Amino acid sequence: MSTDKITFLLNWQPAPYHIPIYLAQQKGFFKEQGLDMAILEPTNPSDVTELIGSGKVDMGLKAMIHTLAAKARGYPVTSVASLLDEPFTGLLYLKGSGITEDFQSLKGKRIGYVGEFGKIQVDELTKHYGMKPEDYTAIRCGMNVAKHIIEGKIDAGIGIECMQQVQLEEYLKQQGRPTTDAQMLRIDKLACLGCCCFCTILYICNDEFLAKNPEKVKKFLKAIKKATDYVLAEPEKAWNEYVDFKPELKNDLSFKQFQRCYAYFSESLYNVHRDWRKVTGYGKRLDILPADYVSNYTNEYLSWPEPEEVSDPLEAQRLMAIHQEACRDCGGFKRLALPA
């Protein structure tokens, strides 16, 4: 049997930042483009690039560092657009755990990670700070890093500011503690990367599917752009439509996570060249990419003008940190206006 459906695999169970994909489906934007989409959810986030790269699924979502590593390991995938740009990612912990802003305070601690490359990142950082991988206990948590911290199973773990950190903050509120007790050692700062782009969430394609279906991919991205524009213009209305379709997300935690994701949504969907250069270099530094590796991304399927990159990415990150702290304290939907 054959089907004309395009299969699309999420990077995990439905989350607040998946809203453009589900709204493009729910509001008929895919149908307007003549597309029939099957949106799938993985049981294990580590399976995503393998399933797409092996051709079992046509398209999906994955972080930049994993997209690079997948191609290097023989899974032919290419990023065709961005969903979330540079969400802050780092080692999350609670104040009072014995961990401080000094990385060496992690010595003897239990550190959680999502998948294989998280462990590689932490091991590389331990060397950078004069430690050894044996100086900490690594515990694989999948996407349940915040849950493991709350339950006392780990002392710290790799997570994203707009997702797992918000989960920790909501736990602290329930305990009568200040939300600022949820702390993060940002990996971009620890590794001197100059940006948090390695966890940018991307729309990726199987290379054979991409070569055979360029017009379908262009139409898919047009539908996603229309949905993203709607989310950015009418965030509360869009959220209400999303949770009507996905009632399991109709709760305070998911809404606050959506508020924190709002500033990270890529308005243009373009892959940022500067970020790909940095993360490709970082992958080589981590020894997950060969020295001659060529970045596996393209913007040729996006049919609207490419924006200029920000003139000062470090300043942009500084302003984003202030912006996200204000969102934590006051909520709301605001985006940064950064000079090109």
Side-chain angles (χ1 to χ4, degrees), residues 44-47 111-117 138-143 145 148 154:
N44 184 342
S46 297
D47 293 337
I111 301 178
Y113 62 97
V114 176
E116 176 187 3
F117 298 115
I139 298 175
R140 188 164 184 161
C141 303
M143 303 296 273
V145 167
H148 278 52
I154 58 174

Side-chain angles (χ1 to χ4, degrees), residues 54-127:
S54 62
K56 293 181 174 67
V57 179
D58 301 322
M59 303 181 69
L61 295 175
K62 204 61 183 170
M64 190 181 290
I65 190 75
H66 299 105
T67 301
L68 284 159
K71 190 74 171 275
R73 291 186 165 193
Y75 294 113
V77 296
T78 297
S79 170
V80 293
S82 300
L83 169 59
L84 282 190
D85 271 339
E86 301 187 14
F88 290 140
T89 307
L91 287 159
L92 292 166
Y93 64 95
L94 297 178
K95 193 176 283 188
S97 63
I99 299 171
T100 69
E101 293 185 2
D102 179 3
F103 185 86
Q104 292 189 333
S105 66
L106 291 165
K107 195 168 186 176
K109 301 296 185 184
R110 299 161 300 167
I111 301 178
Y113 62 97
V114 176
E116 176 187 3
F117 298 115
K119 173 74 164 59
I120 291 171
Q121 284 180 301
V122 179
D123 284 352
E124 199 268 344
L125 286 170
T126 59
K127 294 175 186 176

